[in-house]
Amino acid sequence: MKLTQDQVDEFDRWGLLRLPDAIPHDDATSMGDLVWRQLSTEHGIERDRPDTWTVERPLGFKPLAQSETFRRTGAAPIAGAADALMGKGSWEPAKHWRPFVTFAVPGTTWDVPLSGWHYDCPFDRERIDGVPAIHVFAFMAPLRPKGGGTLVLAGSHHLVRKYTAAHPGGGKVHSRTMKDTLGAVHPWLDELWHKKTEADRRRTFLHDGAVVDGIPLRVVELTGEPGEAYLMNSLLLHAPAPNVLPTPRMMLIQMIGRTEASG
Protein backbone atom coordinates (compact mmCIF):
# COMPACT_ATOMS: atom_id res chain seq x y z
CA MET A 1 0.00 0.00 0.00
CA LYS A 2 1.49 3.29 -1.11
CA LEU A 3 0.53 6.23 1.09
CA THR A 4 -0.30 9.65 -0.28
CA GLN A 5 1.54 12.72 0.95
CA ASP A 6 -1.64 13.80 2.75
CA GLN A 7 -1.65 10.51 4.66
CA VAL A 8 2.01 10.89 5.60
CA ASP A 9 1.31 14.45 6.78
CA GLU A 10 -1.69 13.30 8.82
CA PHE A 11 0.40 10.66 10.56
CA ASP A 12 3.09 13.24 11.31
CA ARG A 13 0.55 15.71 12.73
CA TRP A 14 -1.54 13.33 14.83
CA GLY A 15 0.66 10.23 15.17
CA LEU A 16 -2.34 8.25 13.99
CA LEU A 17 -3.52 7.12 10.56
CA ARG A 18 -6.56 5.10 9.51
CA LEU A 19 -6.14 2.59 6.66
CA PRO A 20 -9.53 1.57 5.22
CA ASP A 21 -8.34 -1.60 3.42
CA ALA A 22 -5.35 -2.88 5.36
CA ILE A 23 -6.71 -6.45 5.39
CA PRO A 24 -9.21 -7.93 2.92
CA HIS A 25 -12.65 -7.96 4.54
CA ASP A 26 -13.12 -11.72 4.11
CA ASP A 27 -9.69 -12.47 5.60
CA ALA A 28 -10.45 -10.30 8.63
CA THR A 29 -13.79 -11.98 9.31
CA SER A 30 -12.23 -15.43 8.80
CA MET A 31 -9.67 -14.57 11.46
CA GLY A 32 -12.58 -13.60 13.69
CA ASP A 33 -14.15 -17.02 13.09
CA LEU A 34 -10.92 -18.67 14.23
CA VAL A 35 -10.93 -16.54 17.37
CA TRP A 36 -14.48 -17.62 18.18
CA ARG A 37 -13.44 -21.27 17.83
CA GLN A 38 -10.55 -20.69 20.22
CA LEU A 39 -12.86 -18.94 22.67
CA SER A 40 -15.11 -22.00 22.63
CA THR A 41 -12.19 -24.38 23.15
CA GLU A 42 -10.39 -22.42 25.87
CA HIS A 43 -13.23 -20.76 27.76
CA GLY A 44 -16.51 -22.35 26.73
CA ILE A 45 -17.52 -18.99 25.23
CA GLU A 46 -19.99 -19.62 22.42
CA ARG A 47 -20.72 -17.11 19.70
CA ASP A 48 -24.50 -17.60 19.77
CA ARG A 49 -24.80 -17.80 23.56
CA PRO A 50 -24.21 -14.42 25.23
CA ASP A 51 -24.86 -16.07 28.59
CA THR A 52 -21.41 -17.70 28.20
CA TRP A 53 -19.64 -14.35 27.71
CA THR A 54 -18.51 -14.20 31.32
CA VAL A 55 -14.81 -13.30 30.86
CA GLU A 56 -14.21 -9.62 30.09
CA ARG A 57 -10.79 -10.01 28.47
CA PRO A 58 -10.16 -13.69 27.64
CA LEU A 59 -6.64 -14.92 26.92
CA GLY A 60 -5.29 -18.11 25.37
CA PHE A 61 -4.78 -17.00 21.76
CA LYS A 62 -1.09 -17.91 21.47
CA PRO A 63 -1.70 -20.95 19.20
CA LEU A 64 -3.66 -18.73 16.80
CA ALA A 65 -1.09 -15.93 16.87
CA GLN A 66 1.62 -18.37 15.78
CA SER A 67 -0.42 -19.82 12.92
CA GLU A 68 0.29 -19.08 9.26
CA THR A 69 -2.94 -17.10 8.90
CA PHE A 70 -2.06 -14.70 11.70
CA ARG A 71 1.51 -14.27 10.45
CA ARG A 72 0.87 -13.37 6.83
CA THR A 73 -2.51 -11.67 6.56
CA GLY A 74 -2.21 -8.03 5.59
CA ALA A 75 1.59 -8.11 5.49
CA ALA A 76 1.99 -6.34 2.12
CA PRO A 77 -0.25 -3.28 2.79
CA ILE A 78 1.25 -2.76 6.24
CA ALA A 79 4.78 -3.09 4.84
CA GLY A 80 4.10 -0.42 2.22
CA ALA A 81 2.79 1.98 4.85
CA ALA A 82 5.75 1.30 7.14
CA ASP A 83 8.17 2.08 4.30
CA ALA A 84 6.48 5.45 3.81
CA LEU A 85 6.38 6.37 7.49
CA MET A 86 9.63 4.88 8.85
CA GLY A 87 11.79 4.56 5.74
CA LYS A 88 12.50 1.50 3.63
CA GLY A 89 14.91 -0.87 5.34
CA SER A 90 14.65 0.94 8.71
CA TRP A 91 11.99 -1.26 10.35
CA GLU A 92 11.50 -4.86 11.38
CA PRO A 93 8.24 -6.63 10.50
CA ALA A 94 6.04 -7.96 13.26
CA LYS A 95 6.09 -11.74 13.72
CA HIS A 96 2.32 -12.07 13.83
CA TRP A 97 -0.99 -10.48 14.79
CA ARG A 98 -2.14 -10.80 18.40
CA PRO A 99 -5.92 -11.11 18.87
CA PHE A 100 -7.63 -9.14 21.64
CA VAL A 101 -11.25 -9.62 22.66
CA THR A 102 -13.24 -7.52 25.14
CA PHE A 103 -16.75 -8.40 26.30
CA ALA A 104 -19.07 -6.04 28.13
CA VAL A 105 -19.40 -6.18 31.91
CA PRO A 106 -23.02 -5.75 33.08
CA GLY A 107 -23.63 -2.44 34.80
CA THR A 108 -20.59 -0.72 33.28
CA THR A 109 -21.03 2.80 31.96
CA TRP A 110 -18.84 4.34 29.27
CA ASP A 111 -16.72 7.44 29.79
CA VAL A 112 -13.26 8.68 28.98
CA PRO A 113 -11.18 6.98 31.70
CA LEU A 114 -8.91 8.65 34.21
CA SER A 115 -6.60 5.67 34.60
CA GLY A 116 -4.68 3.50 32.19
CA TRP A 117 -3.06 6.21 30.04
CA HIS A 118 0.39 5.04 28.94
CA TYR A 119 2.74 4.29 26.14
CA ASP A 120 3.60 0.62 26.01
CA CYS A 121 7.33 0.69 26.77
CA PRO A 122 9.63 3.21 28.43
CA PHE A 123 11.67 4.75 25.64
CA ASP A 124 15.29 5.78 25.35
CA ARG A 125 15.75 9.52 25.06
CA GLU A 126 18.15 8.95 22.18
CA ARG A 127 15.56 7.04 20.11
CA ILE A 128 12.55 9.33 19.84
CA ASP A 129 13.40 11.10 16.60
CA GLY A 130 11.37 10.01 13.63
CA VAL A 131 9.04 7.12 14.42
CA PRO A 132 10.47 4.73 17.07
CA ALA A 133 7.82 2.08 16.35
CA ILE A 134 4.33 1.73 14.93
CA HIS A 135 1.47 -0.06 16.66
CA VAL A 136 -1.10 -1.48 14.25
CA PHE A 137 -4.71 -1.99 15.39
CA ALA A 138 -7.01 -3.86 12.98
CA PHE A 139 -10.59 -5.09 13.27
CA MET A 140 -11.98 -8.61 12.77
CA ALA A 141 -15.58 -7.48 13.30
CA PRO A 142 -17.42 -4.14 13.28
CA LEU A 143 -16.39 -2.00 16.25
CA ARG A 144 -18.76 0.80 17.18
CA PRO A 145 -18.36 3.74 19.60
CA LYS A 146 -18.42 2.63 23.25
CA GLY A 147 -17.57 -0.91 22.14
CA GLY A 148 -14.18 -1.15 23.86
CA GLY A 149 -12.04 0.52 21.19
CA THR A 150 -8.69 1.83 22.42
CA LEU A 151 -8.58 5.56 23.21
CA VAL A 152 -5.60 7.44 21.79
CA LEU A 153 -4.39 10.93 22.70
CA ALA A 154 -3.64 12.02 19.14
CA GLY A 155 -0.86 14.59 18.85
CA SER A 156 0.73 13.66 22.18
CA HIS A 157 3.92 12.37 20.48
CA HIS A 158 4.86 16.01 19.86
CA LEU A 159 4.48 16.82 23.55
CA VAL A 160 6.56 13.78 24.49
CA ARG A 161 9.37 14.95 22.23
CA LYS A 162 9.08 18.53 23.50
CA TYR A 163 9.26 17.39 27.13
CA THR A 164 12.27 15.20 26.41
CA ALA A 165 14.13 18.00 24.66
CA ALA A 166 13.49 20.31 27.62
CA HIS A 167 14.72 17.70 30.14
CA PRO A 168 17.97 16.32 28.73
CA GLY A 169 19.68 13.38 30.34
CA GLY A 170 20.18 9.66 30.01
CA GLY A 171 17.96 6.74 30.78
CA LYS A 172 14.43 5.79 29.91
CA VAL A 173 11.30 7.91 30.26
CA HIS A 174 8.30 6.17 31.81
CA SER A 175 4.64 6.96 31.17
CA ARG A 176 3.96 7.95 34.78
CA THR A 177 6.81 10.48 34.79
CA MET A 178 5.59 11.94 31.52
CA LYS A 179 1.97 12.25 32.69
CA ASP A 180 2.84 13.71 36.09
CA THR A 181 5.10 16.34 34.56
CA LEU A 182 2.77 17.36 31.75
CA GLY A 183 -0.35 17.27 33.93
CA ALA A 184 1.27 19.56 36.49
CA VAL A 185 1.57 22.40 33.97
CA HIS A 186 -1.36 21.79 31.61
CA PRO A 187 -4.86 21.82 33.20
CA TRP A 188 -6.52 20.04 30.25
CA LEU A 189 -4.12 17.11 30.62
CA ASP A 190 -4.42 17.15 34.41
CA GLU A 191 -8.19 16.80 34.02
CA LEU A 192 -7.79 13.97 31.52
CA TRP A 193 -5.51 11.95 33.80
CA HIS A 194 -6.30 12.98 37.35
CA LYS A 195 -9.59 14.87 37.87
CA LYS A 196 -13.14 13.54 37.77
CA THR A 197 -15.28 16.65 37.34
CA GLU A 198 -18.91 17.29 36.47
CA ALA A 199 -17.87 18.36 32.97
CA ASP A 200 -18.85 16.17 30.02
CA ARG A 201 -15.58 14.29 29.50
CA ARG A 202 -16.69 12.92 26.16
CA ARG A 203 -17.27 16.42 24.79
CA THR A 204 -14.14 17.87 26.44
CA PHE A 205 -11.73 15.24 25.15
CA LEU A 206 -13.31 13.48 22.16
CA HIS A 207 -14.96 16.47 20.51
CA ASP A 208 -13.47 19.76 21.73
CA GLY A 209 -9.82 18.78 22.15
CA ALA A 210 -7.26 21.40 23.12
CA VAL A 211 -4.11 23.18 22.02
CA VAL A 212 -1.31 22.64 24.56
CA ASP A 213 2.01 24.48 24.07
CA GLY A 214 0.93 25.13 20.49
CA ILE A 215 0.24 21.42 19.86
CA PRO A 216 -3.31 20.33 18.90
CA LEU A 217 -4.53 17.37 20.96
CA ARG A 218 -7.68 15.25 20.88
CA VAL A 219 -8.75 11.86 22.13
CA VAL A 220 -9.65 9.43 19.35
CA GLU A 221 -11.70 6.27 19.88
CA LEU A 222 -10.54 3.50 17.54
CA THR A 223 -13.61 2.16 15.74
CA GLY A 224 -14.16 0.69 12.30
CA GLU A 225 -15.13 -2.15 10.00
CA PRO A 226 -13.54 -5.56 9.43
CA GLY A 227 -10.23 -5.15 7.62
CA GLU A 228 -9.72 -1.51 8.60
CA ALA A 229 -6.63 -0.64 10.61
CA TYR A 230 -5.02 2.24 12.49
CA LEU A 231 -1.29 2.94 12.54
CA MET A 232 -0.17 4.61 15.77
CA ASN A 233 3.17 6.20 16.61
CA SER A 234 4.47 4.34 19.68
CA LEU A 235 5.05 7.66 21.50
CA LEU A 236 1.31 8.36 21.69
CA LEU A 237 -0.35 8.00 25.08
CA HIS A 238 -3.37 5.72 24.93
CA ALA A 239 -5.72 3.87 27.26
CA PRO A 240 -8.11 0.90 27.30
CA ALA A 241 -11.82 1.71 27.33
CA PRO A 242 -14.77 -0.36 28.56
CA ASN A 243 -17.13 -2.15 26.22
CA VAL A 244 -20.78 -1.38 27.00
CA LEU A 245 -22.28 -2.84 23.82
CA PRO A 246 -23.90 -6.27 23.33
CA THR A 247 -21.12 -7.28 20.93
CA PRO A 248 -17.46 -8.01 21.74
CA ARG A 249 -14.51 -5.94 20.63
CA MET A 250 -12.49 -8.16 18.28
CA MET A 251 -9.20 -6.50 17.48
CA LEU A 252 -5.80 -7.50 16.09
CA ILE A 253 -2.60 -5.81 17.25
CA GLN A 254 0.99 -5.94 16.02
CA MET A 255 4.07 -3.75 16.49
CA ILE A 256 6.57 -2.70 13.85
CA GLY A 257 9.88 -1.70 15.43
CA ARG A 258 12.84 0.29 14.21
CA THR A 259 15.93 -1.74 13.27
CA GLU A 260 18.97 -1.33 15.47
CA ALA A 261 21.01 -0.24 12.47
CA SER A 262 18.70 2.72 11.87
CA GLY A 263 19.32 4.07 15.38
Side-chain angles (χ1 to χ4, degrees), residues 113-118 153 156 159 175 178-184 186-196 201 205 217 237-238:
L114 289 167
S115 62
W117 292 92
H118 68 288
L153 182 55
S156 58
L159 272 184
S175 302
M178 184 65 64
K179 290 192 301 177
D180 287 348
T181 302
L182 294 176
H186 301 297
W188 189 85
L189 293 174
D190 187 45
E191 184 178 347
L192 175 61
W193 295 324
H194 299 125
K195 291 182 179 179
K196 187 68 174 179
R201 289 177 62 83
F205 300 113
L217 300 175
L237 289 149
H238 56 285

Side-chain angles (χ1 to χ4, degrees), residues 121-172:
C121 299
F123 61 83
D124 290 315
R125 294 174 183 272
E126 295 79 13
R127 290 178 62 85
I128 66 167
D129 292 333
V131 182
I134 292 175
H135 294 277
V136 187
F137 302 85
F139 308 115
M140 296 178 283
L143 182 57
R144 303 292 179 242
K146 303 183 183 180
T150 302
L151 296 177
V152 178
L153 182 55
S156 58
H157 60 311
H158 294 302
L159 272 184
V160 168
R161 291 197 185 103
K162 193 168 186 177
Y163 162 85
T164 305
H167 298 80
K172 296 181 181 294

Side-chain angles (χ1 to χ4, degrees), residues 1 15 18 20 24 54 59 83 89 95-96 125 147-148 167 185 191 194 227:
M1 176 179 293
R18 186 174 191 160
T54 57
L59 304 175
D83 281 343
K95 294 179 180 179
H96 50 69
R125 294 174 183 272
H167 298 80
V185 295
E191 184 178 347
H194 299 125

Side-chain angles (χ1 to χ4, degrees), residues 27-111:
D27 289 348
T29 56
S30 294
M31 294 168 84
D33 292 339
L34 293 175
V35 169
W36 276 111
R37 292 180 198 172
Q38 191 71 12
L39 287 169
S40 177
T41 300
E42 290 290 323
H43 300 281
I45 295 174
E46 304 296 339
R47 190 174 199 161
D48 58 352
R49 288 188 54 199
D51 60 297
T52 65
W53 301 356
T54 57
V55 182
E56 181 184 7
R57 298 177 186 270
L59 304 175
F61 299 117
K62 189 173 182 180
L64 284 183
Q66 295 176 340
S67 70
E68 187 70 11
T69 300
F70 279 74
R71 285 202 306 269
R72 298 185 62 180
T73 301
I78 298 301
D83 281 343
L85 299 175
M86 300 183 75
K88 187 171 292 188
S90 67
W91 56 274
E92 296 178 344
K95 294 179 180 179
H96 50 69
W97 291 102
R98 293 179 293 147
F100 283 82
V101 177
T102 306
F103 290 98
V105 175
T108 302
T109 58
W110 196 95
D111 206 347

Side-chain angles (χ1 to χ4, degrees), residues 142-149 221-225 245 247:
L143 182 57
R144 303 292 179 242
K146 303 183 183 180
E221 184 181 11
L222 302 190
T223 61
E225 300 298 325
L245 301 183
T247 52

Side-chain angles (χ1 to χ4, degrees), residues 205-218:
F205 300 113
L206 285 168
H207 300 291
D208 295 346
V211 177
V212 174
D213 279 358
I215 297 170
L217 300 175
R218 59 189 174 96

